[in-house]
Amino acid sequence: RDYVRIFQKRKWTIILMPVLAGLLGYFLTTVPPATYEATGKLRVVSRSQPLDLMMQTFYYYEEGNRLDTHAEVMLSREVLKEVGYNLGRLINDDGTPMTDDEIAERDDAVGFINELRASITPTVVTGTSILQVTVIRPNRDDAIRYLNTLLDTYKERNRYDVNQDVIEGLRFLQDRLAEVEEELTTAQRNLVDFMLANAERLSLGSDEISSTQRQLEDAQTR
């Protein structure tokens, strides 16, 4: 009877307090935003150098060590900058990529790189030469787009690193070839000018002409 009298006297207080507590909890409790994960796999293949083969023969060599290095490089500032360029984020108004100084001066650019790094999780698939990469984004389409851009960017960068010696050598030969072609053109022009200017005084015999022609052909071949 005592409890009934208390409830009758304080019934609105007893009813309203749980309701108010529930409403306050509903409106004040932070609901975590939805996130989306996109996961892909990347097989890492490196060109073996003679020194690498010797090290594998005489010393203990663990494949995972190399993959761990690739995982760290994938999270490096240089790779993330290229990903930002390819995503169209770290671009100036005139369409040129931002330099390191320009990125450092802009809080939004620095924040983008830090956020991008925090959203990427590369892990080594045990016993394989495969990296599994997961990207977490608040938007489903962004998660897929960021993952594909990251994998494509790293694939191209790794391809350049593996073949850097060949690429640089080919570039040197192409530059040198252009210089030699220019020198040859200049030499031919000088030869024609000399022959025209000294046509009356030139009296080479057939053997000398043949010899000169062979020398010219050798020079062109070189």
Side-chain angles (χ1 to χ4, degrees):
R1 287 197 297 269
D2 290 340
Y3 285 120
V4 170
R5 285 197 302 271
I6 293 173
F7 179 78
Q8 289 175 342
K9 186 177 181 180
R10 305 290 185 184
K11 61 181 178 180
W12 290 114
T13 302
I14 296 172
I15 294 173
L16 290 177
M17 288 304 294
V19 173
L20 290 175
L23 291 175
L24 288 174
Y26 177 79
F27 287 108
L28 296 180
T29 300
T30 302
V31 179
T35 58
Y36 297 84
E37 287 187 5
T39 301
K41 293 180 180 180
L42 186 72
R43 179 168 177 245
V44 180
V45 179
S46 297
R47 185 180 60 185
S48 295
Q49 300 287 352
L51 182 59
D52 296 334
L53 296 176
M54 184 181 68
M55 294 293 290
Q56 295 180 34
T57 302
F58 293 100
Y59 296 93
Y60 175 70
Y61 180 80
E62 185 179 355
E63 182 75 9
N65 293 336
R66 183 169 60 86
L67 293 178
D68 289 338
T69 301
H70 282 281
E72 288 299 320
V73 173
M74 184 177 291
L75 296 176
S76 66
R77 181 182 179 86
E78 290 301 317
V79 173
L80 296 179
K81 275 170 41 183
E82 294 184 21
V83 174
Y85 299 153
N86 294 332
L87 288 171
R89 294 293 303 270
L90 302 179
I91 303 295
N92 292 314
D93 295 335
D94 58 359
T96 58
M98 292 183 184
T99 63
D100 288 337
D101 293 338
E102 291 172 338
I103 292 176
E105 293 174 356
R106 296 184 52 171
D107 293 337
D108 58 336
V110 175
F112 169 77
I113 291 180
N114 293 335
E115 180 191 6
L116 180 60
R117 180 184 291 111
S119 68
I120 299 171
T121 305
T123 55
V124 178
V125 179
T126 306
T128 70
S129 59
I130 294 176
L131 278 177
Q132 179 173 291
V133 184
T134 301
V135 176
I136 301 177
R137 301 298 300 171
N139 180 277
R140 174 183 177 275
D141 293 335
D142 280 351
I144 298 173
R145 186 165 60 94
Y146 277 48
L147 173 67
N148 289 336
T149 303
L150 171 64
L151 295 182
D152 290 340
T153 301
Y154 192 73
K155 179 184 67 175
E156 293 301 321
R157 184 177 184 86
N158 185 60
R159 178 182 300 171
Y160 177 82
D161 291 341
V162 170
N163 299 286
Q164 183 175 5
D165 294 340
V166 177
I167 294 174
E168 295 297 335
L170 180 60
R171 185 175 301 164
F172 169 78
L173 291 177
Q174 289 173 337
D175 295 341
R176 183 57 184 153
L177 178 60
E179 295 176 2
V180 172
E181 288 178 344
E182 184 178 355
E183 293 173 0
L184 176 59
T185 301
T186 302
Q188 289 176 330
R189 187 184 303 114
N190 292 338
L191 176 60
V192 172
D193 292 342
F194 175 80
M195 294 179 65
L196 292 176
N198 300 274
E200 296 180 356
R201 289 183 290 173
L202 289 176
S203 58
L204 296 176
S206 58
D207 293 339
E208 293 173 301
I209 293 176
S210 299
S211 176
T212 303
Q213 183 65 29
R214 284 195 301 272
Q215 294 177 12
L216 177 59
E217 292 174 354
D218 292 342
Q220 289 175 336
T221 301
R222 288 195 299 272

